[in-house]
Amino acid sequence: MAVMVGAFDGLDRVQIPHASSTTRIMQQVGGAFGTAVLAVILQRQLADHPAAIAYDHTFLWTLAFTALAFVPALLLPPGRHTTAVQQTAPAEPEPART
């Protein structure tokens, strides 16, 4: 959800369909690529180690990739802070007439 909000922030109405398509494509490609990389790492680990150790090492790789992705996220510029729209309380329903 945060990716979608970040992708659409500050866009004109005509740019939103392009941002939606681009974001979806990047999610699909990134997910497939990440899964493939971890599958290769796991296969190499299974060839060299017992299964329990191979899965442990592969999990450590996932933590390393997450930490690596976290570093550029810290360097992103701060977003614009918008004030929340004040919502008015719904009107009280009128009492039923008898």
Side-chain angles (χ1 to χ4, degrees), residues 21-47:
S21 298
T22 303
T23 303
R24 185 72 179 143
I25 290 168
M26 296 305 291
Q27 286 175 337
Q28 293 291 321
V29 171
F33 181 74
T35 301
V37 167
L38 289 175
V40 168
I41 291 171
L42 178 60
Q43 186 61 38
R44 299 260 320 170
Q45 293 295 324
L46 285 170

